[in-house]
């Protein structure tokens, strides 16, 4: 089959590893995880499996919106004026999220939790439903009035009262980075880590081949019968990839489809025709957050911002003719000539 190939520039020649490919998997954060790595023995693989699951369980216990005792929910339930000391991983994710909120002028916003809940995509309301206009006005004005402050020295965040953090758009990417670092501390130099579709890879396999992954594309529908072009595959060497999609979680009401990506500026699910955004970045945390942010911004504003920030990003949009692609120059520059498998 013909595929389009994305090749990152290699800054160093990877060493050929010795051993065999081990594939480990499990569940975390309401989704699945998978790690492929070159291990020297299957006993080493089993040890690593336990270590990866332990680390992911720890992160889930910190950042889950679904667990009432998570550090995130303890912050969300804290009284107004309380400074909450956060675990260092949560603090890192929150710092990055607030930075990206600034970069995107609020299109991405980790304080979007109340809106996410009200639209039925969080833990509070079970059945998704469209809120009334006055509810939306109230929630947006509450969001605009409340500011979160950080104390870097104490690793603490100020709960001004009522802020509801939601890190679901970035926590999976962070977990991927965290597991990649964990594997590094064990001396593993060749791996592919995946949590809920977000991936990061390093090194090559025994035959010198990189870890190839296919880009996630929107499902085909009657309105968009075919994928726009040949599939895209990317060599993940010292690189992460994340995709955000309007189809991942959504509901229909009155003939309108509402997705779980909320535009905090309107208080409503983004409805800008973008089906997926894929972002490549050295860090999976950043790739994950920016892919969600660009979904909110839409193709025009999103392409401008991603280009300005130097992000390789691909937008796949619904049109009357089917699905259409738009990419930043940085993404186009990584596209190699067509490749036959
Ligand atoms: P992702 O699948 O990575 O795009 O993340 C989507 C999830 O992020 C949603 O299910 C919400 O929990 C949360 N979310 C929705 N809209 C936003 C937003 N504008 N900024 C930050 N997080 C959001
Ligand atoms: Mg995301």
């Amino acid at each position: 089959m013909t595929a389009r190939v994305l090749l990152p520039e290699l800054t160093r020649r990877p060493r050929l590893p010795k051993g065999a490919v081990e594939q480990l998997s499990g569940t975390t954060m309401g989704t699945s995880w998978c790690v492929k790595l070159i291990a020297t023995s299957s006993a080493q693989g089993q040890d690593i499996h336990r270590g990866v699951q332990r680390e992911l369980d720890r992160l889930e216990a910190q950042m889950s919106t679904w667990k009432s005792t998570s550090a995130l929910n303890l912050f969300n339930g804290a009284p107004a004026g309380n400074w909450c000391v956060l675990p260092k991983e949560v603090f890192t994710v929150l710092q990055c999220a607030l930075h990206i909120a600034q970069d995107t002028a609020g299109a991405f916003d980790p304080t979007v939790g109340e809106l996410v809940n009200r639209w039925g995509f969080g833990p509070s309301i079970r059945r998704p439903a469209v809120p009334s206009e006055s509810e939306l006005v109230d929630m947006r004005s509450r969001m605009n009035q409340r500011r979160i402050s950080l104390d870097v020295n104490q690793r603490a965040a100020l709960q001004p009262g009522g802020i509801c953090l939601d890190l679901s758009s970035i926590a999976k990417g962070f977990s991927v980075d965290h597991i990649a670092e964990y594997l590094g501390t064990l001396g593993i130099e060749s791996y592919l880590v995946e949590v809920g579709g977000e991936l990061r890879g390093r090194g090559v396999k025994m035959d010198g081949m990189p870890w190839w992954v296919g880009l996630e594309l929107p499902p085909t529908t009657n309105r968009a019968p075919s994928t726009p072009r040949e599939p895209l595959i990317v060599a993940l060497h010292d690189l992460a990839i994340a995709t955000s999609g309007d189809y991942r979680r959504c509901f229909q009401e009155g003939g309108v489809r509402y997705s779980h990506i909320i535009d905090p500026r309107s208080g409503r699910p983004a409805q800008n025709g973008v089906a997926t955004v894929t972002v490549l970045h050295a860090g999976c945390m950043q790739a994950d957050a920016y892919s969600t942010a660009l979904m909110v911004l839409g193709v025009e504003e999103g392409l401008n911002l991603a280009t300005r920030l130097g992000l390789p990003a691909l937008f796949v949009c619904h049109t009357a003719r089917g699905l259409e692609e738009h990419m930043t120059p940085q993404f186009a520059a990584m596209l190699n000539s067509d490749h036959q498998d």
Side-chain angles (χ1 to χ4, degrees):
M1 189 177 63
T2 309
R4 289 172 294 158
V5 174
L6 284 151
L7 279 174
E9 250 179 69
L10 289 189
T11 47
R12 61 182 177 84
R13 213 180 161 72
R15 265 197 300 163
L16 282 188
K18 289 198 177 68
V21 176
E22 284 279 322
Q23 181 165 327
L24 320 171
S25 58
T27 55
T28 187
M29 299 183 179
T31 184
S32 59
W33 65 265
C34 178
V35 172
K36 293 179 188 169
L37 56 90
I38 313 295
T40 47
S41 68
S42 64
Q44 186 194 29
Q46 282 164 22
D47 276 354
I48 295 175
H49 188 279
R50 277 190 293 275
V52 170
Q53 188 66 61
R54 183 195 63 227
E55 286 305 300
L56 290 173
D57 288 348
R58 195 166 63 78
L59 296 180
E60 186 181 6
Q62 293 177 349
M63 297 188 214
S64 172
T65 36
W66 306 86
K67 289 191 187 322
S68 59
T69 56
S70 68
L72 185 87
N73 275 331
L74 295 181
F75 172 87
N76 288 344
N82 228 50
W83 280 95
C84 303
V85 176
L86 299 173
K88 73 172 185 306
E89 292 86 355
V90 180
F91 195 81
T92 302
V93 172
L94 184 56
Q95 256 187 321
C96 175
L98 291 173
H99 173 78
I100 293 176
Q102 238 178 4
D103 259 3
T104 60
F108 181 83
D109 192 337
T111 71
V112 74
E114 189 184 2
L115 281 166
V116 171
N117 278 333
R118 182 57 192 85
W119 280 95
F121 296 113
S124 310
I125 293 181
R126 294 214 181 277
R127 213 151 56 84
V130 178
S132 70
E133 199 49 51
S134 67
E135 273 182 281
L136 288 176
V137 170
D138 284 352
M139 282 188 282
R140 268 178 26 229
S141 90
R142 276 200 293 276
M143 229 178 125
N144 291 335
Q145 278 162 20
R146 296 168 185 152
R147 286 279 162 267
I148 197 163
S149 311
L150 299 184
D151 178 337
V152 180
N153 295 323
Q154 307 292 323
R155 236 179 41 217
L158 175 68
Q159 170 59 277
I163 277 196
C164 182
L165 287 176
D166 176 335
L167 299 175
S168 304
S169 56
I170 181 170
K172 288 197 292 286
F174 174 81
S175 307
V176 170
D177 288 339
H178 182 82
I179 296 303
E181 274 160 37
Y182 170 68
L183 296 175
T185 63
L186 301 177
I188 305 290
E189 290 186 355
S190 181
Y191 54 75
L192 180 67
V193 179
E194 186 245 331
V195 176
E198 324 299 20
L199 296 118
R200 175 163 155 171
R202 183 177 176 84
V204 291
K205 286 173 261 181
M206 293 82 73
D207 59 1
M209 284 300 278
W211 300 99
W212 289 109
V213 303
L215 259 69
E216 185 178 322
L217 290 168
T220 52
T221 63
N222 291 339
R223 269 179 49 227
S226 60
T227 52
R229 286 193 55 188
E230 305 85 10
L232 274 153
I233 56 171
V234 54
L236 281 189
H237 178 69
D238 282 344
L239 192 64
I241 186 167
T243 297
S244 192
D246 69 342
Y247 54 88
R248 280 195 172 175
R249 289 179 68 204
C250 56
F251 72 94
Q252 293 241 10
E253 195 178 299
V256 182
R257 198 161 63 95
Y258 297 97
S259 101
H260 66 139
I261 312 284
I262 311 287
D263 185 341
R265 301 165 301 182
S266 65
R268 300 174 158 274
Q271 260 161 352
N272 50 30
V274 180
T276 58
V277 178
T278 298
V279 173
L280 294 153
H281 198 284
C284 200
M285 170 167 70
Q286 291 83 352
D288 191 0
Y290 277 117
S291 59
T292 308
L294 297 176
M295 281 291 298
V296 176
L297 286 171
V299 70
E300 218 168 292
E301 233 187 308
L303 268 178
N304 280 338
L305 179 75
T307 304
R308 211 169 61 238
L309 295 174
L311 295 173
L314 175 77
F315 294 71
V316 180
C317 303
H318 300 287
T319 75
R321 297 172 300 284
L323 296 169
E324 215 168 80
E325 289 180 351
H326 300 270
M327 55 185 78
T328 60
Q330 293 84 356
F331 190 94
M334 286 173 75
L335 257 184
N336 218 275
S337 53
D338 286 0
H339 166 90
Q340 296 280 337
D341 272 347

